[in-house]
Amino acid sequence: MERENWYALDKPEEVISPTLLVYPERIEKNIQRMIGISGGVQFLRPHVKTHKMAEIIKMQLKHGIYKFKCATIAEAELLAQSGATDILLAVQPTGANIPRLFALMETYRQAKFSAIVDSGQIIDQIAAMAKQKEQEVSLWLDINNGMNRTGIVPGDKAFELYRALVDSPQLVAAGLHVYDGHIRDPDFSLRKEKCDTAFQEVIQLKERLQKAGMPVEHMVAGGSPSFEIHAARKNVETSPGTTLLWDRGYGGLFPEMQFLPAAVLMTRVISKPRADYLCFDLGHKSVASEMPLPRVEFLNAGQYTQMGQSEEHLVVESPEADTYAPGDIAYVVPKHICPTVAKYDSVLTVKEGQITGRWKVAARDHKMLT
């Protein structure tokens, strides 16, 4: 059985703060939970953007997961280096990233790379480079079904763009890509209703394309909030990412998903500026700060009200402040883990209170390929 204070280090005095700790045994359970929800690995395409670590990729590979999704060229390269064989770049390549994508294809020939597109201009640029290099490129049409961040609305223009992929001798129409991160209602039935309604237009586009003789062999849909919903569909790949490490944001919204927090920040009290205030060394540089306060959940503390944050400092108000001294330790779960991980060049792995290793956050920068 896991000990009650599973997150606590036996010798925290030997560790600098703030430090990001990860717990491989919990990551393992989250991977098993992901596979259980998806019904196997065939329609599971986890996102690497949350963790950006080779070790976590390899943990998934051991379970037979072979399809992955990523947000940067560096993440795509890390996946290829780690042994992934099916890699989807889920950001439309533009500018210098187009030749960088081709460089990946040339360097890591054992892997199949693909990317999403929503622009005729970009499709033409990729096709032109593919022709020049005598290569074939797989592209997914990115669909906007309400997120309004990327993609094209599923209508006539989307139909014609997909036709352009099918008709190009240099391109392979891989299928449709849909991200509905705007649907995150805590109530599952409401979340499912909104997700199903938004996805209906995507299904209609797919049927229209197929009726016109254009194959739509694959669909990739959703992220962590809609993971369980899309996993219940036939022939739809799901792309959870936060599920691997989990965080306070999704944990608070979706407790029924039963994933475990597997990444914890260790921080210290560095000052007591007034009787009821504590200041921790956990500023903007150490934890994701795009969310409103509170930005972390304290695991080993009582009543904390997060009052303010600056570059190096997190100030909290607590009626228990007089029981703490500078140097005392707290453990917290970030509200948003993905950009928190990217603030660290490495993490420490923990098992039963012991530091067992150090994992590099290898794809935290935008460039790996030399």
Side-chain angles (χ1 to χ4, degrees):
M1 291 181 62
E2 189 175 54
R3 63 182 191 176
E4 182 178 359
N5 295 333
W6 57 269
Y7 49 82
L9 298 178
D10 291 342
K11 296 181 179 180
E13 68 276 5
E14 298 178 357
V15 179
I16 65 170
S17 63
T19 289
L20 185 59
L21 310 172
V22 298
Y23 302 78
E25 290 181 323
R26 289 187 147 230
I27 297 172
E28 180 76 17
K29 290 179 180 179
N30 286 342
I31 294 172
Q32 293 171 354
R33 175 68 178 153
M34 287 164 53
I35 294 173
I37 290 174
S38 63
V41 302
Q42 182 180 1
F43 295 105
L44 185 59
R45 188 182 286 272
H47 209 308
V48 73
K49 71 179 180 68
T50 295
H51 57 84
K52 306 174 187 287
M53 299 179 219
E55 290 82 358
I56 297 180
I57 295 169
K58 291 175 182 178
M59 289 177 71
Q60 295 173 86
L61 289 170
K62 287 181 180 179
H63 282 274
I65 298 171
Y66 62 97
K67 301 176 185 178
F68 293 87
K69 184 170 159 180
C70 61
T72 69
I73 296 290
E75 291 171 4
E77 182 171 14
L78 176 64
L79 283 163
Q81 290 179 351
S82 302
T85 56
D86 189 332
I87 301 165
L88 167 57
L89 176 65
V91 172
Q92 178 167 248
T94 59
N97 279 341
I98 294 176
R100 290 180 73 199
L101 175 62
F102 279 89
L104 283 181
M105 295 169 61
E106 293 168 0
T107 304
Y108 302 99
R109 295 185 180 275
Q110 79 284 0
K112 174 187 174 183
F113 293 93
S114 59
I116 64 171
V117 290
D118 63 16
S119 162
Q121 179 180 358
I122 298 302
I123 290 173
D124 290 344
Q125 291 177 16
I126 294 174
M129 184 162 288
K131 182 177 182 179
Q132 175 187 343
K133 292 181 174 292
E134 298 183 343
Q135 286 185 299
E136 193 175 68
V137 184
S138 293
L139 298 178
W140 304 72
L141 187 62
D142 188 25
I143 301 299
N144 173 17
N145 73 330
M147 182 75 177
N148 296 328
R149 186 175 69 181
T150 69
I152 184 169
V153 173
D156 291 343
K157 188 174 180 181
F159 182 89
E160 292 305 323
L161 282 183
Y162 198 83
R163 185 192 295 277
L165 297 179
V166 172
D167 289 345
S168 173
Q170 285 78 36
L171 305 178
V172 174
L176 303 178
H177 172 271
V178 188
Y179 180 65
D180 50 14
H182 59 296
I183 302 173
R184 52 179 65 196
D185 300 84
D187 181 87
F188 178 80
S189 60
L190 180 58
R191 190 161 79 250
K192 184 178 186 305
E193 179 183 353
K194 290 184 177 180
C195 183
D196 289 343
T197 299
F199 200 66
Q200 188 58 39
E201 287 187 324
V202 183
I203 295 174
Q204 291 171 356
L205 174 63
K206 176 186 177 183
E207 292 174 347
R208 181 183 172 190
L209 290 166
Q210 290 176 324
K211 188 175 181 180
M214 289 182 274
V216 185
E217 295 183 7
H218 304 284
M219 299 178 72
V220 177
S224 296
S226 57
F227 174 30
E228 292 179 291
I229 301 166
H230 290 302
R233 307 187 197 281
K234 291 184 178 180
N235 301 319
V236 174
E237 297 178 10
T238 54
S239 297
T242 304
T243 49
L244 288 153
L245 296 180
W246 214 225
D247 58 24
R248 179 64 187 92
Y250 281 175
L253 288 172
F254 318 122
E256 78 283 353
M257 294 185 74
Q258 300 179 21
F259 289 99
L260 301 175
V264 172
L265 288 162
M266 191 194 85
T267 180
R268 285 185 171 91
V269 176
I270 55 173
S271 183
K272 299 178 67 175
R274 51 182 263 189
D276 54 349
Y277 272 37
L278 299 171
C279 181
F280 291 90
D281 56 355
L282 199 64
H284 298 155
K285 296 177 181 177
S286 304
V287 65
S289 57
E290 85 281 11
M291 300 289 189
L293 294 171
R295 293 180 178 134
V296 297
E297 176 187 28
F298 284 84
L299 294 175
N300 65 324
Q303 303 177 51
Y304 280 3
T305 302
Q306 295 168 48
M307 304 300 294
Q309 191 181 32
S310 53
E311 291 185 19
E312 311 291 351
H313 309 87
L314 173 65
V315 177
V316 305
E317 183 179 23
S318 173
E320 304 167 359
D322 60 350
T323 66
Y324 291 83
D328 284 354
I329 288 169
Y331 298 90
V332 306
V333 176
K335 188 172 184 179
H336 195 184
I337 186 60
C338 308
T340 296
V341 171
K343 293 178 180 291
Y344 295 84
D345 60 7
S346 62
V347 302
L348 297 179
T349 57
V350 182
K351 181 178 181 180
E352 296 180 352
Q354 302 294 313
I355 300 295
T356 58
R358 182 184 297 271
W359 292 351
K360 184 179 180 182
V361 185
R364 67 189 293 251
D365 296 323
H366 284 279
K367 184 177 181 180
M368 289 180 62
L369 190 65
T370 55

